[in-house]
Amino acid sequence: MQVADAHLNSEMVLQQLNNTVQEYLADWVKKQHSLFNSQSQIVVDQLQSNPKMVVTTTAMAALFTTYIFFKLLWNSSNDESQKPRKFSVPIPDAAQTHWKGKRLFPTSIRDPENPNTIQAYCPATGQYLGKFPSKTAKDVDEMILKASDAQKEWTNSSMARRLRILISLQNYILENQDLIAHVACRDSGKTKLDASMGEIMVTLEKLQWSIQHGERVLTPSKRPGPTNFFMKFYKGAEVRYEPLGVVSAIVSWNYPFHNLLGPIISALFTGNAIVVKCSEQVVWSSEFFTGLVRRCLEACGEDPELVQLFYCLPPSDHDDTANYFSAHPKLEHITFIGSQPVAHHILANAAKSLTPVVVELGGKDAFIILDSAKNLEVLSSIIMRGTFQSAGQNCIGIERVIVSASNYDVLVNILKNRMIDHPLRLGSDIDHLEEVDVGAMVSDNRFDQLESLVKDAVSHGARLLCGGSRYSHPNYPQGHYFLPTLLVDVTPDMKIAQEEVFGPILVVMRAETTENAIEIANSAPFGLGGSVFGSDYKECNYVADRLKTGSVAINDFATYYVCQLPFGGIHGSGFGKFGGEEGLLGLCNAKSVCYDILPFVSTQIPKPLDYPIRSSRKAWGFIKSFITGSYAMSTWQRIKSLYSLARNAN
């Protein structure tokens, strides 16, 4: 019987494996103890019979102990960069548990009485958070100038200084998880659990990965150099990674902490300054989180002007500040996370100043379940987490569950029973008032679109098993809630299979074969990420190789992001990568440098090639012989070319 065909009780297997391991370890320890005792007795006998060996052994042990002591003492006294700097940040009233803020009605980021003001409120409760003046073109110039002045010194900062900032940030985040979650939830409407997993954990992973691996990534890269027979003996080559200057990130609202901190971490670590443009939907939390970073910089003895926060209202006939920002000639690089319509404007503006842009535009990620997949109950949990986390407002969230025909009905019944027997609870858990599964959406401006997509699918044969419409919460009537939705029997020709949902709608599609599953997955005009599940790894790998996406997780969901791999998509999901090694290097000028390895040998212009050319015939014979000798494919050919080279040298 093959492993793929075996059906075992997982608890029994784990228990049996645990017992086996314990027995093996116990037996091994006994053998090692017996061996140690016998070896020790041999050593004692030898030492007693040889006094000189006793003196030598004692001296060596003393030297070794002294070395270890001074090594530890030296490291502890000279490794100041590895010690976090402590700092504190004032806690806003709205971040307090059981905060009672007035509720807006109607809710809007625009204040009718102050058209140039951004009005912040909690999407889950409608509670008012504050007003912020929309920035102007003058503000943009001043921010970029301040960042540029600070970066002139920071560009030559040591790796120890950069690491100190990241370590201090990591320490603060670890010690203030509740505060960070409260701020993120209050401004985005998500649950604390979603904030913990999607905001805090991934940010700490990025910090720790950069701390452990970043210096290696930015170390000058030695290259093979020329293959030219004459040059390869004395020419060396390498690539040095230098800061660009002032970079920018224009980030979306769905992860107000992580989307903001991620670009800042990479920018500072690569020696750049950064101006982050946050969404007008999350100005309140972005101000707090940026202030947190600036306070960390001050605590580490660095210039807080290295990090700037910019925000403004969307472009209008009276205000073009947003376009002015993305077209600014002093920005050396832009990372954009957002939607396709906005991306067109960003790219058009950046083209005016030839600013390079990395564009991440969301996706239509497929979650493929093959015939060989086992334990559909477990997979149903992954599906629900990947679909409903942050109310579906996740660029690599599960947009389409594509299931093999043999597993389709079973999985649909599992999902149906879970969602109907135990309906997901909507609400706000910031103040610990209730148990909540799914939070609010950041805005209600897309509710008509979501309902329209569901109705269109049903009209073309899909089955709506639950949800499908907006929800008026009895405790938070101003909150933006959409019912968790289960929509099955969806086909590729339906709008909901082609358009990004970015909401709490679980779409299930049937695939007749593995090739059909691949075809369905690749049918949407996006290509960000995807997942494939099955017990036949060869088949899973086959599918992964044929998915037209930027990332794929095999028997897992979205962990390529946690693994700090380069992140980005193709087709309608954008282009370029951020994250991981490629993300750091993308914020650097890759400067190519060649140099002489041997101090007494250097490149000189041979006489036949020196201006003015004395003899075109000899010059041609010389350079032809030089090229032939440099790249000759046989020894005899090279010998002849060397002879000809000497003959034409004068």
Side-chain angles (χ1 to χ4, degrees), residues 88-107:
S88 61
V89 182
I91 301 175
D93 290 340
Q96 303 283 358
T97 304
H98 305 305
W99 172 69
K100 304 295 183 182
K102 69 175 183 178
R103 299 189 184 186
L104 292 179
F105 188 81
T107 53

Side-chain angles (χ1 to χ4, degrees), residues 405-635:
S406 63
N407 286 319
Y408 186 83
D409 291 336
V410 176
L411 181 66
V412 166
N413 284 330
I414 291 173
L415 293 171
K416 177 182 176 181
N417 292 337
R418 290 189 63 163
M419 294 187 66
I420 292 178
D421 294 346
H422 303 282
L424 298 181
R425 299 159 294 184
L426 290 90
S428 171
D429 67 347
I430 309 173
D431 301 310
H432 305 289
L433 298 178
E434 55 191 333
E435 296 295 334
V436 172
D437 298 304
V438 180
M441 296 186 69
V442 78
S443 171
D444 61 359
N445 63 356
R446 294 180 52 251
F447 283 2
D448 288 342
Q449 178 192 2
L450 297 182
E451 289 177 345
S452 176
L453 287 173
V454 172
K455 290 178 181 177
D456 175 79
V458 172
S459 70
H460 288 86
R463 288 186 292 146
L464 177 62
L465 300 184
C466 63
S469 63
R470 69 195 74 195
Y471 173 67
S472 179
H473 199 289
N475 297 328
Y476 314 112
Q478 293 92 348
H480 306 319
Y481 295 95
F482 197 91
L483 288 172
T485 300
L486 177 57
L487 190 64
V488 303
D489 297 350
V490 173
T491 55
D493 57 301
M494 298 176 185
K495 289 182 180 179
I496 201 166
Q498 298 298 315
E499 299 179 15
E500 184 178 26
V501 172
F502 218 65
I505 300 179
L506 174 49
V507 171
V508 186
M509 309 175 73
R510 181 195 298 267
E512 299 303 326
T513 64
T514 298
E515 293 296 336
N516 185 221
I518 296 170
E519 181 183 0
I520 294 173
N522 290 335
S523 66
F526 293 88
L528 188 58
S531 303
V532 55
F533 286 78
S535 58
D536 184 343
Y537 180 78
K538 184 177 180 181
E539 185 182 23
C540 289
N541 207 46
Y542 175 87
V543 174
D545 286 344
R546 283 154 182 80
L547 290 181
K548 300 185 185 301
T549 62
S551 305
V552 180
I554 298 177
N555 285 323
D556 211 333
F557 164 67
T559 41
Y560 42 76
Y561 191 83
V562 181
C563 291
Q564 298 302 304
L565 291 168
F567 185 74
I570 59 175
H571 302 152
S573 293
F575 51 82
K577 303 283 186 178
F578 64 87
E581 296 187 18
E582 287 78 1
L584 289 179
L585 298 180
L587 296 177
C588 297
N589 170 36
K591 179 180 286 184
S592 302
V593 178
C594 64
Y595 49 89
D596 293 329
I597 298 175
L598 304 174
F600 51 86
V601 179
S602 62
T603 300
Q604 297 182 7
I605 303 299
K607 288 183 179 180
L609 306 181
D610 199 11
Y611 291 121
I613 302 297
R614 290 176 292 177
S615 170
S616 296
R617 182 183 60 81
K618 280 197 170 186
W620 174 254
F622 181 88
I623 193 62
K624 182 179 178 181
S625 299
F626 178 81
I627 292 173
T628 303
S630 298
Y631 305 103
M633 301 179 70
S634 70
T635 304

Side-chain angles (χ1 to χ4, degrees), residues 233-532:
F233 296 108
Y234 74 94
K235 279 295 177 188
E238 67 181 24
V239 178
R240 301 172 186 173
Y241 303 104
E242 300 177 345
L244 292 175
V246 179
V247 300
S248 173
I250 303 173
V251 296
S252 58
W253 41 259
N254 55 330
Y255 289 95
F257 179 64
H258 178 68
N259 283 352
L260 185 84
L261 266 287
I264 291 175
I265 292 166
S266 296
L268 292 176
F269 191 76
T270 50
N272 295 294
I274 185 169
V275 183
V276 183
K277 181 184 181 300
C278 70
S279 167
E280 62 275 10
Q281 299 282 355
V282 289
V283 173
W284 177 77
S285 59
S286 297
E287 279 279 14
F288 175 79
F289 293 138
T290 305
L292 183 161
V293 176
R294 288 169 65 93
R295 184 67 191 91
C296 177
L297 287 167
E298 290 177 339
C300 293
E302 308 297 351
D303 193 340
E305 303 295 349
L306 284 167
V307 176
Q308 304 285 333
L309 177 66
F310 168 73
Y311 44 81
C312 67
L313 289 167
S316 66
D317 294 338
H318 309 290
D319 187 356
D320 199 44
T321 306
N323 290 324
Y324 179 80
F325 177 80
S326 54
H328 205 287
K330 296 297 183 181
L331 294 178
E332 302 295 339
H333 185 279
I334 297 175
T335 299
F336 173 66
I337 304 173
S339 65
Q340 285 188 7
V342 178
H344 288 296
H345 294 289
I346 300 291
L347 292 170
N349 293 331
K352 298 173 184 176
S353 51
L354 297 179
T355 305
V357 185
V358 168
V359 180
E360 192 264 278
L361 305 178
K364 194 69 185 167
D365 289 13
F367 187 101
I368 299 175
I369 299 177
L370 302 174
D371 281 336
S372 63
K374 304 298 179 184
N375 205 336
L376 298 182
E377 284 281 357
V378 172
L379 291 185
S380 71
S381 294
I382 299 174
I383 290 168
M384 292 183 67
R385 169 56 59 183
T387 301
F388 298 119
Q389 179 168 308
S390 294
Q393 301 167 119
N394 184 356
C395 59
I396 51 175
I398 299 172
E399 290 262 341
R400 297 169 296 164
V401 179
I402 303 172
V403 192
S404 69
S406 63
N407 286 319
Y408 186 83
D409 291 336
V410 176
L411 181 66
V412 166
N413 284 330
I414 291 173
L415 293 171
K416 177 182 176 181
N417 292 337
R418 290 189 63 163
M419 294 187 66
I420 292 178
D421 294 346
H422 303 282
L424 298 181
R425 299 159 294 184
L426 290 90
S428 171
D429 67 347
I430 309 173
D431 301 310
H432 305 289
L433 298 178
E434 55 191 333
E435 296 295 334
V436 172
D437 298 304
V438 180
M441 296 186 69
V442 78
S443 171
D444 61 359
N445 63 356
R446 294 180 52 251
F447 283 2
D448 288 342
Q449 178 192 2
L450 297 182
E451 289 177 345
S452 176
L453 287 173
V454 172
K455 290 178 181 177
D456 175 79
V458 172
S459 70
H460 288 86
R463 288 186 292 146
L464 177 62
L465 300 184
C466 63
S469 63
R470 69 195 74 195
Y471 173 67
S472 179
H473 199 289
N475 297 328
Y476 314 112
Q478 293 92 348
H480 306 319
Y481 295 95
F482 197 91
L483 288 172
T485 300
L486 177 57
L487 190 64
V488 303
D489 297 350
V490 173
T491 55
D493 57 301
M494 298 176 185
K495 289 182 180 179
I496 201 166
Q498 298 298 315
E499 299 179 15
E500 184 178 26
V501 172
F502 218 65
I505 300 179
L506 174 49
V507 171
V508 186
M509 309 175 73
R510 181 195 298 267
E512 299 303 326
T513 64
T514 298
E515 293 296 336
N516 185 221
I518 296 170
E519 181 183 0
I520 294 173
N522 290 335
S523 66
F526 293 88
L528 188 58
S531 303
V532 55

Side-chain angles (χ1 to χ4, degrees), residues 133-142 310-312 319 321 324:
S134 183
K135 303 292 185 182
T136 64
K138 181 181 178 182
D139 293 326
V140 174
D141 291 337
E142 290 178 353
F310 168 73
Y311 44 81
C312 67
D319 187 356
T321 306
Y324 179 80

Side-chain angles (χ1 to χ4, degrees), residues 94-131:
Q96 303 283 358
T97 304
H98 305 305
W99 172 69
K100 304 295 183 182
K102 69 175 183 178
R103 299 189 184 186
L104 292 179
F105 188 81
T107 53
S108 173
I109 62 167
R110 295 183 181 274
D111 182 357
E113 298 178 359
N114 299 284
N116 295 321
T117 298
I118 298 172
Q119 191 169 242
Y121 67 93
C122 175
T125 63
Q127 292 169 293
Y128 172 75
L129 296 173
K131 293 181 181 179

